[in-house]
């Protein structure tokens, strides 16, 4: 057996114990009550990195939550990898649906259950342990590593660009590596080569100064929940297309080759329904499920409120109603343009005299990987060696704002090497990471960094 593999397998229980301690900290970035916890999470990571021979470990404060930055730069003439991850997590509700408490990491059936186990503390920790394994087995790191771990990814990475500009020099690298995505299926190592972007809004409709009796006024005044329902219903047509004027103007049509590549993947409708728990597959006419997820934009209503919510009946005409509406975007759509289209659409769909207010949340641009760059071959080799199976290229319907931003800012390729699984429950109750993927992921990253160490770069 490889010394690296041997070390990683031997130390597995300790690695899991260490990450479990980090997972105890409820670093929920979107909830103000957890501000201190996000700060503690950053400190925990920073302290851990101190013990691993980093030459620099810093906590970078922001107007929101802090990021952790660390470097190991002991390999002159060798490439520099910038590792990105996030130490913040999603809220845990509905709490009652968790089998074990979200912040008490629990081993069950070959899985480690906890909020953040796969998204993203567990996956970031795999890089940390790959670094440790290389230092242990080779006596030194064969490449230079910079690591940035932000605390605001789950709430939109609002301050990350600010950190980029402030620390542009320190963030220079030859390649960026991120583990915050999924493998296509168990045992099948996957490199994500495309992510969708995001444009997210809240819409509030107001029709009167207060609620009204539906007998006294029904039929003679507008009802906010009806107005909002009509606006929302007008966002899609019967073919499952987004029926906002101009929405598809910037969508780059999928090439025959892209579609052929996707058709080669072992997609199984039954497995998809099991993993998602959805009763049926449904989406834009003329496209397969994977095409809908990876190559086509989408629009969802993420939340809806208005009117009487209590038990029983109340004859009332609600005067306000609101909804959270988001769009997943593909190349070459932009969140700014989609915002304008959404505003125009709502303005047209809203009856005269009714107030509709739109507020924009965070957004992200879509990303496409430059797969012609040689690091992609290196990554395939490393993954194949650890998993004993050739790696596949996959897409991802979700978003990581950082990936496109750093790509644009540095011009360097970003390797998305994810070790989650599609039914890993990220953002949901009972989030988990596979113990096997945890070990093989560490191994893959160690091999990748070792192989990168054979490359000479022309910089000091
Ligand atoms: N780890 C996810 C990205 C992801 C989503 C990977 C789905 C694999 C499958 C990331 O933490 C995330 O949830 N991103 C947000 C971004 C948003 C808050 C800007 C998303 O996609 O909703
Ligand atoms: Zn994530």
């Amino acid at each position: 057996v490889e010394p690296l593999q041997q070390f990683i397998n031997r130390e597995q229980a300790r690695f899991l114990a260490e990450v479990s301690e980090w997972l105890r900290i409820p670093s929920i970035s979107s909830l103000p009550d957890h501000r201190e916890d996000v700060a503690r999470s950053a400190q925990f990571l920073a302290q851990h990195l101190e013990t691993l021979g980093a030459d620099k470990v810093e906590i970078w404060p922001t107007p929101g939550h802090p990021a952790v930055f660390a470097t190991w730069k002991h390999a002159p003439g060798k490439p520099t990898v910038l590792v990105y991850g996030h130490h913040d997590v999603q809220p845990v509700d509905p709490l009652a649906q968790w089998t074990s408490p979200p912040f008490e990491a629990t081993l069950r059936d070959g899985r480690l259950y906890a909020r953040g186990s796969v998204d993203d503390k567990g996956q970031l920790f795999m890089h940390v342990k790959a670094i440790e394994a290389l230092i242990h087995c080779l006596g030194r790191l064969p490449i230079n590593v910079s690591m940035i771990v932000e605390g605001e990814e789950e709430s939109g990475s609002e301050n990350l660009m600010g950190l980029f500009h402030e620390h542009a020099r320190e963030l220079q690298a030859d390649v960026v590596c991120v583990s915050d995505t999924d493998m296509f299926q168990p045992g099948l190592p996957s490199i994500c080569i495309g992510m969708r972007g995001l444009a997210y809004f809240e819409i509030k409709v107001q029709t009167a100064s207060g609620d009204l009796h539906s007998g006294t006024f029904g039929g003679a005044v507008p009802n906010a929940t009806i107005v909002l329902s009509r606006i929302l219903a007008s966002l899609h047509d019967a073919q499952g297309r987004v029926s906002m004027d101009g929405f598809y103007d910037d969508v780059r049509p999928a090439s025959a080759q892209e579609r052929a590549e996707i058709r080669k993947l072992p997609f199984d409708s039954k497995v998809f329904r099991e993993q998602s728990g959805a009763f049926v597959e449904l989406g834009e006419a003329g496209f397969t499920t994977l095409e809908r997820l990876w190559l086509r934009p989408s629009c969802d209503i993420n939340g809806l409120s208005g009117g009487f919510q209590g038990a029983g009946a109340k004859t009332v005409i609600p005067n306000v109603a609101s909804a959270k509406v988001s769009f997943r975007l593909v190349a070459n759509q932009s969140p700014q343009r989609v915002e304008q289209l959404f505003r125009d659409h709502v303005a047209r769909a809203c009856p005269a005299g009714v107030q509709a207010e739109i507020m924009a949340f965070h957004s992200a641009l879509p990303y496409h990987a430059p797969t012609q760059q040689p690091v992609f071959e290196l990554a395939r080799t490393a993954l194949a060696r650890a998993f004993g199976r050739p790696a596949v290229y996959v897409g991802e319907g979700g978003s990581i704002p950082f990936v496109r931003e750093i790509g644009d800012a540095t011009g360097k390729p970003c390797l998305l090497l994810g070790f989650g699984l599609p039914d890993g429950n990220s953002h949901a109750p009972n989030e988990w990471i596979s113990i096997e993927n945890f070990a093989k992921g560490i191994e893959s990253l160690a091999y990748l960094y070792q192989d990168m160490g054979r490359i000479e770069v022309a910089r000091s």
Side-chain angles (χ1 to χ4, degrees):
V1 223
E2 298 262 358
L4 279 168
Q5 190 188 38
Q6 205 172 25
F7 176 77
I8 291 161
N9 290 341
R10 198 179 71 214
E11 300 299 320
Q12 163 101 315
R14 174 172 61 84
F15 293 172
L16 288 170
E18 288 168 351
V19 76
S20 296
E21 211 183 316
W22 193 20
L23 290 166
R24 294 185 75 83
I25 305 172
S27 48
I28 306 169
S29 58
S30 63
L31 302 180
D33 280 357
H34 288 273
R35 213 183 156 70
E36 274 311 304
D37 294 319
V38 184
R40 273 202 301 132
S41 162
Q43 281 153 14
F44 179 95
L45 177 64
Q47 273 161 24
H48 190 81
L49 297 179
E50 297 271 9
T51 66
L52 296 182
D55 41 55
K56 183 193 276 184
V57 180
E58 293 174 352
I59 292 183
W60 288 352
T62 76
H65 300 292
V68 177
F69 179 74
T71 59
W72 291 257
K73 299 214 165 170
H74 316 288
K78 300 297 182 181
T80 299
V81 177
L82 175 64
V83 174
Y84 162 86
H86 60 93
H87 67 92
D88 63 322
V89 300
Q90 284 275 327
V92 297
D93 52 287
L95 185 60
Q97 288 179 24
W98 286 78
T99 304
S100 50
F103 297 110
E104 288 172 30
T106 306
L107 273 172
R108 211 162 54 233
D109 313 322
R111 300 168 170 186
L112 184 70
Y113 283 88
R115 173 57 86 233
S117 55
V118 69
D119 186 8
D120 177 46
K121 285 172 174 164
Q123 293 210 65
L124 184 274
F125 210 70
M126 291 158 70
H127 290 265
V128 176
K129 295 294 112 172
I131 291 169
E132 181 182 324
L134 286 164
I135 293 174
H136 178 90
C137 295
L138 312 181
R140 55 175 193 92
L141 259 186
I143 53 164
N144 303 294
V145 176
S146 307
M147 184 177 273
I148 176 145
V149 186
E150 70 157 318
E152 298 188 295
E153 200 273 350
E154 300 292 7
S155 46
S157 300
E158 309 272 4
N159 294 297
L160 193 60
M161 280 320 275
L163 289 179
F164 271 6
H165 291 131
E166 212 178 311
H167 300 278
R169 269 190 64 89
E170 291 167 277
L171 293 168
Q172 285 302 318
D174 300 293
V175 54
V176 182
C177 194
V178 178
S179 294
D180 192 22
T181 51
D182 293 336
M183 306 199 321
F184 190 76
Q185 58 181 216
L188 187 57
S190 312
I191 302 174
C192 175
I193 59 167
M195 292 197 98
R196 288 196 291 190
L198 179 71
Y200 199 141
F201 309 98
E202 177 155 6
I203 170 170
K204 287 187 177 148
V205 167
Q206 181 163 4
T207 51
S209 56
D211 280 355
L212 295 167
H213 191 293
S214 71
T216 318
F217 295 100
V221 296
N223 174 322
T225 50
I226 294 178
V227 171
L228 180 62
S229 304
R230 290 182 65 97
I231 294 174
L232 297 178
S234 74
L235 289 171
H236 291 88
D237 68 16
Q239 270 65 53
R241 284 171 59 90
V242 175
S243 44
M244 230 159 59
D245 254 3
F247 185 69
Y248 292 95
D249 287 0
D250 296 329
V251 172
R252 183 179 58 78
S255 70
Q257 199 204 332
E258 269 174 303
R259 297 182 79 170
E261 289 295 327
I262 290 176
R263 270 197 301 275
K264 283 191 213 149
L265 290 168
F267 178 80
D268 181 333
S269 282
K270 194 162 156 285
V271 171
F272 176 80
R273 284 203 298 276
E274 275 163 19
Q275 282 170 344
S276 62
F279 301 153
V280 289
E281 288 163 73
L282 189 65
E284 188 182 355
F287 295 92
T288 66
T289 288
L290 289 181
E291 289 170 349
R292 288 167 178 169
L293 290 172
W294 298 348
L295 301 178
R296 303 298 294 171
S298 64
C299 166
D300 270 290
I301 296 163
N302 307 94
L304 189 53
S305 73
F308 179 58
Q309 311 280 323
K314 181 185 184 199
T315 46
V316 65
I317 299 176
N319 72 320
V320 290
S322 68
K324 318 261 188 195
V325 179
S326 67
F327 299 86
R328 294 287 172 174
L329 312 179
V330 300
N332 296 307
Q333 291 178 296
S334 82
Q336 288 72 25
R337 178 148 160 78
V338 168
E339 175 170 351
Q340 196 51 55
L341 297 176
F342 184 54
R343 287 185 184 280
D344 294 348
H345 183 90
V346 170
R348 273 196 302 272
C350 192
V354 165
Q355 292 172 9
E357 196 192 323
I358 292 169
M359 195 192 75
F361 295 120
H362 44 255
S363 61
L365 283 160
Y367 171 76
H368 276 273
T371 48
Q372 73 288 354
Q373 300 268 350
V375 279
F376 285 83
E377 258 331 295
L378 283 185
R380 293 179 84 126
T381 309
L383 287 167
R385 206 157 129 207
F387 283 84
R389 240 178 114 179
V392 292
Y393 282 148
V394 297
E396 177 51 65
S399 318
I400 305 174
F402 170 91
V403 169
R404 172 67 183 268
E405 286 166 1
I406 189 88
D408 288 357
T410 64
K412 301 298 164 123
C414 183
L415 279 175
L416 291 161
L417 307 181
F419 304 100
L421 285 170
D423 57 348
N425 294 327
S426 59
H427 297 202
N430 303 311
E431 177 180 346
W432 56 274
I433 189 165
S434 143
I435 301 306
E436 183 185 337
N437 286 7
F438 183 73
K440 289 192 171 162
I442 297 172
E443 212 183 307
S444 309
L445 296 168
Y447 294 150
L448 173 66
Y449 294 160
Q450 189 176 28
D451 292 348
M452 281 180 171
R454 305 213 171 88
I455 300 171
E456 301 287 335
V457 287
R459 201 168 10 77
S460 67

